[in-house]
């Protein structure tokens, strides 16, 4: 599932290709993509809009139009945005859900195997309200200080892994980067979030940022479906410290990485560097 580094990679690839372009023709062939709104109506509304900026918050891509309207794209499990840029893309693609033809002749293709992705057209002035209701702090923003992280975790008895996955506390972190951040911070994924003290909060703040920045630097992690908009793969999967590495040695202490369940998700950690709450 694409997390902040993967969505940021998609944004950075598409930004120079999309900004300033006009949407000449829009075809949306899957009604799930725009529901509860009609895909044909949404496509008609989008046609003619000119793209002013491409932003991101958490795992949302924010396509801002000159009209003030915004298209919010969420890739969910398996959504992909590809830009043709002159290269030919397969025509008989059963997973293609939408095609946007731009005024420079290039195409943006949206494909989605599992079909959980969403496109929502938002009227001017409404996007911040929509996102503020769903998303907490942006972990790479300058305003996201240790104090903000401490506030987001204060009083929570849920395991820290669950708190990191809660998009209303912290936007953009998913299963992979939560495990990677906790390993960097030497914090056990089952520790109650509200129990973390000053130095641990500081380590987690550094760990979250370092894990996300490593992911962005490697263009994200391609485990199965995620692709960069030119059809390439990320390489972060070769650099995971713990994620998916059960039985392999921890690079810090050589203890074998273990897999447990936390927050209902497969969770990888080093039992020696990240001791369980009752072994400390
Ligand atoms: Zn270790």
């Amino acid at each position: 599932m694409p997390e902040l580094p993967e969505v940021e990679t998609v944004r950075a690839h598409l930004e120079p290709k999309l900004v300033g372009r006009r949407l000449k023709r829009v075809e949306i062939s899957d009604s799930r993509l725009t529901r509860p709104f009609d895909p044909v109506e949404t496509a008609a509304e989008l046609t003619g809009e000119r793209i002013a900026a491409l932003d991101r918050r958490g795992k949302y891509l924010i396509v801002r139009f000159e009209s003030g309207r915004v298209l919010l794209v969420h890739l969910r499990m398996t959504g992909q945005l590809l830009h043709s840029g002159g290269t030919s893309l397969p025509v008989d693609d059963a997973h293609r859900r939408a095609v946007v033809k731009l005024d420079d002749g290039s195409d943006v293709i949206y494909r989605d195997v599992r079909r959980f992705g969403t496109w929502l057209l938002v009227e001017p002035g409404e996007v911040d309200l929509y996102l503020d209701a769903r998303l907490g702090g942006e972990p790479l923003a300058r305003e996201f200080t240790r104090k903000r992280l401490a506030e987001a975790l204060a009083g929570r008895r849920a395991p820290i892994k669950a708190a990191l996955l809660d998009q209303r506390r912290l936007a953009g972190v998913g299963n992979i980067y939560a495990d990677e951040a906790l390993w960097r911070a030497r914090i056990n994924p089952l520790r109650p979030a509200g129990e973390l003290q000053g130095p641990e909060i500081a380590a987690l703040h550094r760990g979250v940022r370092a894990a996300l920045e490593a992911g962005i630097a490697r263009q994200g992690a391609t485990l199965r479906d995620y692709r960069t908009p030119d059809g390439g793969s990320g390489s972060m999967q070769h650099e995971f410290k713990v994620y998916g590495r059960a039985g392999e040695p921890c690079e810090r202490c050589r203890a074998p990485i273990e897999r447990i369940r936390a927050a209902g998700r497969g969770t990888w950690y080093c039992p020696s560097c990240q001791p369980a709450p009752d072994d400390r």
Side-chain angles (χ1 to χ4, degrees):
M1 184 189 302
E3 302 181 26
L4 187 156
E6 288 75 31
V7 179
E8 177 58 26
T9 302
V10 170
R11 190 204 67 76
H13 269 252
L14 290 178
E15 183 178 45
K17 313 242 159 55
L18 265 55
V19 171
R21 299 271 65 83
R22 200 167 57 80
L23 278 53
K24 215 171 138 191
R25 205 170 70 228
V26 181
E27 287 172 26
I28 301 173
S29 50
D30 184 357
S31 61
R32 276 180 62 159
L33 192 57
T34 56
R35 72 181 176 188
F37 302 102
D38 181 71
V40 177
E41 270 174 40
T42 302
E45 303 248 20
L46 285 168
T47 303
E49 292 279 6
R50 190 181 295 277
I51 299 168
L54 196 59
D55 294 334
R56 179 194 54 74
R57 258 184 77 182
K59 303 177 197 172
Y60 285 90
L61 266 178
I62 307 173
V63 186
R64 296 185 191 278
F65 298 113
E66 284 180 355
S67 65
R69 286 166 143 187
V70 163
L71 179 68
L72 277 181
V73 176
H74 200 303
L75 304 173
R76 300 287 167 194
M77 302 277 291
T78 56
Q80 301 173 340
L81 280 167
L82 301 166
H83 181 258
S84 72
T87 60
S88 56
L89 294 159
V91 183
D92 53 346
D93 179 354
H95 301 299
R96 183 180 289 192
R97 310 294 175 200
V99 181
V100 176
K101 190 160 276 301
L102 301 175
D103 62 355
D104 64 354
S106 67
D107 291 331
V108 176
I109 312 287
Y110 179 79
R111 70 191 300 278
D112 195 341
V113 173
R114 301 283 301 273
R115 302 171 65 212
F116 290 113
T118 55
W119 283 22
L120 177 67
L121 185 58
V122 182
E123 292 303 316
E126 291 179 2
V127 71
D128 288 343
L129 273 175
Y130 183 92
L131 292 176
D132 288 347
R134 287 163 177 80
L135 298 177
E138 185 63 40
L140 296 180
R142 192 192 304 234
E143 309 81 73
F144 191 76
T145 57
R146 290 178 200 175
K147 186 161 168 281
R148 285 281 307 274
L149 178 61
E151 286 164 3
L153 303 177
R156 294 213 64 192
R157 277 178 297 185
I160 184 61
K161 170 80 185 251
L164 290 178
L165 296 180
D166 181 351
Q167 300 299 299
R168 289 162 302 175
R169 304 267 161 183
L170 187 65
V173 176
N175 206 36
I176 291 176
Y177 295 95
D179 286 3
E180 295 292 297
L182 288 168
W183 179 87
R184 287 171 184 268
R186 301 174 185 249
I187 294 171
N188 186 281
L190 297 176
R191 290 278 304 284
E195 225 180 52
L196 300 182
Q197 298 303 313
E200 292 172 311
I201 297 277
L204 184 58
H205 185 260
R206 281 195 306 275
V208 166
R209 287 188 159 182
L212 295 173
E213 282 165 358
I216 292 170
R218 288 158 188 82
Q219 312 252 312
T222 297
L223 297 177
R224 216 179 317 174
D225 295 281
Y226 163 73
R227 291 286 178 273
T228 55
D230 57 2
S233 298
S235 63
M236 187 60 198
Q237 66 279 10
H238 304 305
E239 314 230 356
F240 289 153
K241 306 294 189 188
V242 285
Y243 185 86
R245 296 191 52 215
E248 293 177 41
C250 167
E251 74 171 43
R252 267 191 313 238
C253 74
R254 314 310 293 170
I257 304 297
E258 284 184 13
R259 181 186 192 274
I260 52 170
R261 277 188 93 72
R265 308 291 297 275
T267 296
W268 288 265
Y269 77 110
C270 171
S272 162
C273 297
Q274 299 167 264
D278 36 21
D279 303 345
R280 281 180 308 133

